[in-house]
């Protein structure tokens, strides 16, 4: 549809749609918008505008190939260089920008900021200052780019400004001992080169023009289209299949004794691939995965081991086995929630709050596992619903009850899970703003005459949206002093803390992605930690924590939390407080249970049960 006459309108529509599009298609949308802008740009300045808007709106879904291409265009077009540098400078004025924007802005300003030197706010010292204030919020690879930018700024400011030179030299000197080899090498080399005076102009000259070559973006799109054609062929073959479920079969290997059953995975292609993103690892139909890698298929680990439980033979929909083995008639409703978990649900939830994969729930018939990945303010979880029995699970339902601060989208779940099989249901998460509320999975199924209904907390908690960051004293204290008073900085004396050593407390904070920086606090009994929090409203937000302990009384401490958002400061303070007061204990081995349902009530102290009651 797109050509030079309508490219602007179409690309603008794509940019607007990116904010509400499904996660599975955002990366492809970003790629297609970048390609259209490149192929049909009426002028190059419009192309630069589009790509920077793209990074600003959907940075998590913009691949490095896209900003690399911008750099090539700007490098090869001298008339475009002042404009691109100015736009990059404007984006840096935003209080929070995506790290990809930080990369491209730092690169462009390192190469071409000298072209803006006569503009207000664009002197070398001012350019350095606005870039450097973002350094505490970026990851290790971006620090390498910033060091190159500092060296370029120093090279362009000849004769050097002594104050600016000393500031940049101090940064190089600091990173000469970095644990990261790339950062250390750059710091050592730039520090040495920058002392060569005017010779630096020749050594760190501007990048030469790139040779003309095929666009890597268009090549990537062509590869994607080839994958789509291949998927269409798979779809045609898959239409001949009777089922789209991922089935676990009991095949008897020849080298095993007859009484041992080897469980093997059978992969059957999905029959509804055309509506999904072509680069997805998992193509799905009604929440059931199709083409999956073997190592991803067995996330539950011990699913179906020991051998699956046999379903009650000859039992009709309204009959059940009594304790003495005789058949007894009973309405289904009277058996509701008779099946009890084989694991501590609250304990499993807490374990998954610090791990990204594991078992969330298990009873004699079902096991629910989770595997998650997190990127910025977004997450993708896969729920693994495993039927441990040799009978089907019927009337399966899974509904997400989201808190107000999150957007969650769960793929549809099959009503029947075949015997001894596992289905995978992706769950997309967007964190809108800071909050400690949690989403709940309302999961129910029927096995024989037993109707089981559980409300399980989903471990999409505050710390999942943390990106660990380690700060030096020079980076930490200016930020700490700038956040001077409530509501951005809050302090509380916390009592009733579970006694633990300082090392144990540091390990607890690190497990929550709050990275402890040893030696920052002159008092050896105190801990200082930092992280970056991501949400749609705050973008990336630096968080600082100080904990002062009393060696004579480990049950109390004073905690100070600071960030640039008052709601985040409060929620983070309360979140850490909850972890210090109620620390999950190590799990006990589950007691083996018979397949017959038990009748013990769920403890009233179980947080999952209490939350279910509130809902």
């Amino acid at each position: 549809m797109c050509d030079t006459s309508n490219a602007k309108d179409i690309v603008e529509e794509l940019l607007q749609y990116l904010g509400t599009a499904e996660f599975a298609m955002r990366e492809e949308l970003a790629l297609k918008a970048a390609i259209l802008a490149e192929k049909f740009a009426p002028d190059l300045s419009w192309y630069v505008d589009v790509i920077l808007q793209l990074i600003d709106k959907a940075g998590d879904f913009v691949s490095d190939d896209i900003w690399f291409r911008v750099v090539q265009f700007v490098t090869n077009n001298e008339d475009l260089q002042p404009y691109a540098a100015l736009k990059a400078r404007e984006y840096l004025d935003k209080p929070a920008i995506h790290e990809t924007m930080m990369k491209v802005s730092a690169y462009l300003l390192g190469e071409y900021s000298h072209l803006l030197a006569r503009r207000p706010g664009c002197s070398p010292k001012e350019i350095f200052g606005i870039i450097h204030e973002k350094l505490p919020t970026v990851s290790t690879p971006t620090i390498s780019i910033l060091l190159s930018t500092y060296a370029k700024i120093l090279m362009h400011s000849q004769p050097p400004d002594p104050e600016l030179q000393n500031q940049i030299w101090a940064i190089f000197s600091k990173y000469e001992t970095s644990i990261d080899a790339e950062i250390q090498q750059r710091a050592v080399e730039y520090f040495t080169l920058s002392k060569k005076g005017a010779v630096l102009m020749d050594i760190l000259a501007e990048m030469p023009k790139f040779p003309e070559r095929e666009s890597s973006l268009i090549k990537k799109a062509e590869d994607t289209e080839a994958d789509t054609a291949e998927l269409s062929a798979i779809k045609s073959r898959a239409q001949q299949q009777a089922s789209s479920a991922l089935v676990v079969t009991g095949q008897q290997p020849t080298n095993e004794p007859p009484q041992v059953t080897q469980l093997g995975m059978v992969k059957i292609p999905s029959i509804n691939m055309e509506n999904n993103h072509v680069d997805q690892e998992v193509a799905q139909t009604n929440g059931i995965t199709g083409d999956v890698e073997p190592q991803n298929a067995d996330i539950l680990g011990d699913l179906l081991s020991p051998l699956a439980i046999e379903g009650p033979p000859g039992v009709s929909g309204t009959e059940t086995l009594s304790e003495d083995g005789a058949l007894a008639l009973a309405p289904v409703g009277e058996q509701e929630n008779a099946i009890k978990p084989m694991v501590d649900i609250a304990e499993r939830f807490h374990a998954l709050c610090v791990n990204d994969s594991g078992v969330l729930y298990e009873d004699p018939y079902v096991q629910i596992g989770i595997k998650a990945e997190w990127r910025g303010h977004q997450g993708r979880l896969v729920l693994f619903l495993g039927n441990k029995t040799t009978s089907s699970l019927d009337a399966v339902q899974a509904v997400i009850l989201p808190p107000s601060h999150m957007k969650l989208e769960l793929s549809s779940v099959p009503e029947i899970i075949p015997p001894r099989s596992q289905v995978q249901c992706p769950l997309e998460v967007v964190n809108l703003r800071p909050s400690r509320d949690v989403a709940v999975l309302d999961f129910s199924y029927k096995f024989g005459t037993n109707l089981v209904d559980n409300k399980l907390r989903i471990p999409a908690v505050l710390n999942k949206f943390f990106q660990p960051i380690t700060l030096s004293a020079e980076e930490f204290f200016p930020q700490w002093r700038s956040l001077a008073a409530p509501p951005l900085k809050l302090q509380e004396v916390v009592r009733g803390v579970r006694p633990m050593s300082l090392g144990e407390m540091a390990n607890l904070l690190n497990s929550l992605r709050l990275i402890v920086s040893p030696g920052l606090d002159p008092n050896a009994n105190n801990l200082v930690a930092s992280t970056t929090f991501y949400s749609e409203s705050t973008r990336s937000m630096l968080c600082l924590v100080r904990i002062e302990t009393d060696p004579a009384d480990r049950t109390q401490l004073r905690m100070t939390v600071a960030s640039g958002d008052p709601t985040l400061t409060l929620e983070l303070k309360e979140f850490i407080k909850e972890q210090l007061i109620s620390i999950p204990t190590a799990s006990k081995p589950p007691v083996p249970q018979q397949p017959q349902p038990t009748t013990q009530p769920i403890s009233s102290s179980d947080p999952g049960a209490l939350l279910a009651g509130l809902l």
Side-chain angles (χ1 to χ4, degrees), residues 398-595:
V399 178
I400 292 292
L401 308 176
S404 61
H405 75 285
M406 278 186 186
K407 288 194 296 189
L408 296 104
E409 185 177 339
L410 178 65
S411 66
S412 57
V413 177
E415 293 187 3
I416 297 175
I417 302 180
R420 302 169 73 177
S421 67
Q422 180 189 96
V423 298
Q424 302 180 17
C425 304
L427 172 63
E428 306 289 354
V429 180
V430 179
N431 185 32
L432 303 178
R433 57 185 179 275
S435 174
R436 288 170 295 124
D437 295 339
V438 295
V440 172
L441 171 68
D442 188 349
F443 178 77
S444 61
Y445 68 92
K446 189 171 73 172
F447 180 76
T449 59
N450 297 306
L451 181 61
V452 185
D453 189 353
N454 282 287
K455 291 179 173 60
L456 309 168
R457 290 176 293 171
I458 297 293
V461 288
L462 193 72
N463 62 293
K464 296 296 184 181
F465 306 103
F466 291 167
Q467 179 65 46
I469 183 172
T470 303
L471 300 181
S472 66
E474 293 82 4
E475 296 162 340
F476 181 90
F477 290 110
Q479 299 282 347
W480 184 258
R481 286 191 290 268
S482 68
L483 303 168
L488 298 182
K489 180 182 283 185
L490 297 176
Q491 189 175 89
E492 180 179 349
V493 175
V494 182
R495 295 182 173 85
V497 175
R498 179 171 176 172
M500 66 185 107
S501 68
L502 206 63
E504 291 172 331
M505 189 177 294
N507 290 336
L508 172 64
L509 293 176
N510 286 333
S511 72
L512 299 172
R513 305 184 187 183
L514 287 157
I515 300 304
V516 173
S517 300
L520 276 191
D521 197 306
N523 189 331
N525 295 310
N526 298 346
L527 293 175
V528 170
S530 56
T531 193
T532 305
F533 173 77
Y534 288 85
S535 73
E536 198 171 84
S537 62
T538 64
R539 298 297 178 98
S540 60
M541 182 69 69
L542 184 65
C543 304
L544 307 175
V545 179
R546 185 188 188 205
I547 293 180
E548 303 166 83
T549 67
D550 181 1
D553 185 359
R554 289 293 184 186
T555 65
Q556 66 175 358
L557 53 82
R558 184 166 69 176
M559 177 170 58
T560 310
V561 178
S563 80
D565 181 81
T567 303
L568 174 57
T569 301
L570 175 62
E571 293 292 333
L572 179 58
K573 179 179 75 72
E574 294 301 315
F575 176 76
I576 299 173
K577 180 178 169 183
E578 289 171 356
Q579 306 302 316
L580 294 172
I581 292 176
S582 177
I583 301 171
T585 56
S587 60
K588 300 177 181 179
V591 179
Q593 298 187 19
Q594 299 297 322

Side-chain angles (χ1 to χ4, degrees), residues 16-336:
Q16 290 180 356
Y17 184 60
L18 262 174
T20 57
E22 295 180 5
F23 288 104
M25 63 191 301
R26 287 192 186 182
E27 186 172 352
E28 186 179 2
L29 272 178
L31 175 62
K32 293 294 175 62
I35 290 172
L36 294 181
E38 179 178 330
K39 289 180 69 175
F40 303 112
D43 57 79
L44 291 178
S45 60
W46 177 81
Y47 169 75
V48 171
D49 287 340
V50 167
I51 301 302
L52 294 183
Q53 285 183 56
L54 194 62
I55 295 172
D56 188 45
K57 289 176 178 287
D60 286 335
F61 301 92
V62 175
S63 67
D64 284 343
D65 290 332
I66 293 177
W67 81 266
F68 290 167
R69 191 63 175 162
V70 175
V71 167
Q72 291 176 19
F73 266 99
V74 175
T75 302
N76 289 2
N77 294 272
E78 293 184 10
D79 294 342
L80 191 59
Q81 292 165 3
Y83 180 80
L86 182 61
K87 296 301 290 185
R89 170 68 180 82
E90 289 174 359
Y91 274 101
L92 285 180
D93 282 331
K94 291 191 172 186
I97 62 174
H98 193 273
E99 188 157 342
T100 303
M101 180 67 77
M102 195 67 225
K103 292 176 183 177
V104 68
S105 296
Y107 186 95
L108 293 174
L109 289 171
E111 292 288 340
Y112 309 116
S113 62
H114 63 286
L115 302 176
L116 309 177
R118 296 185 178 182
R119 290 177 177 267
C122 294
S123 68
K125 188 181 295 186
E126 289 169 314
I127 293 290
F128 165 76
I130 196 169
I131 293 176
H132 188 57
E133 73 179 17
K134 309 283 187 183
L135 185 140
T137 66
V138 302
S139 61
T140 299
T142 308
I143 292 176
S144 300
I145 297 176
L146 297 191
L147 292 181
S148 298
T149 300
Y150 300 159
K152 291 278 188 173
I153 291 175
L154 202 57
M155 180 267 289
H156 284 304
S157 57
Q158 295 293 336
D161 178 329
E163 183 182 354
L164 176 62
Q165 186 179 59
N166 290 334
Q167 286 178 311
I168 294 178
W169 279 357
I171 296 168
F172 290 157
S173 179
K174 168 192 160 185
Y175 282 109
E176 281 184 327
T177 56
S178 171
I179 195 171
D180 184 87
E182 175 70 20
I183 291 177
Q184 183 187 99
Q185 182 175 352
R186 291 192 187 211
V188 169
E189 293 181 1
Y190 290 153
F191 192 26
T192 303
L193 290 173
S194 62
K195 293 185 176 181
K196 293 184 178 294
V199 182
L200 187 67
M201 295 281 291
D202 297 325
I203 299 173
L204 294 180
E206 289 182 13
M207 285 291 292
K209 290 186 177 182
F210 290 89
E212 292 300 327
R213 58 191 176 194
E214 181 185 5
S215 169
S216 60
L217 299 184
I218 296 176
K219 178 68 168 61
K220 186 174 182 180
E222 289 173 350
D223 293 342
T224 299
E225 288 166 4
D227 292 341
T228 304
E230 184 178 346
L231 290 177
S232 297
I234 294 174
K235 171 183 172 293
S236 298
R237 294 194 299 271
Q239 288 175 343
Q240 307 300 320
Q241 301 288 343
S243 170
S244 63
L246 180 64
V247 182
V248 184
T249 61
Q251 299 175 346
Q252 180 66 50
T254 56
N255 60 344
E256 295 285 351
Q259 68 272 20
V260 178
T261 299
Q262 179 69 30
L263 301 175
M265 305 304 294
V266 177
K267 294 192 290 182
I268 300 176
S270 168
I271 63 171
N272 187 24
M273 291 183 172
E274 70 275 14
N275 290 329
N276 290 332
H277 187 267
V278 294
D279 289 329
Q280 277 186 281
E281 293 180 358
V282 178
Q284 59 208 9
T285 301
N286 293 330
I288 305 174
T289 61
D291 192 8
V292 295
E293 293 297 329
Q295 63 266 31
N296 292 337
D298 193 24
I299 182 64
L300 301 188
D302 60 346
L303 177 60
L304 310 174
S305 176
L307 294 181
I309 301 167
E310 296 289 340
V315 178
S316 69
T318 58
E319 296 175 332
T320 186
L321 288 173
S322 64
E323 292 184 0
D324 59 3
L327 288 176
L329 295 176
V332 171
E334 293 183 7
Q335 298 299 316
E336 189 172 21

Side-chain angles (χ1 to χ4, degrees), residues 331-353:
V332 171
E334 293 183 7
Q335 298 299 316
E336 189 172 21
N337 291 328
I339 305 301
K340 298 303 174 187
M342 299 169 63
V343 295
D344 186 324
I345 296 176
E347 202 169 86
R348 296 310 309 151
F349 170 77
H350 285 299
L352 286 167
C353 287

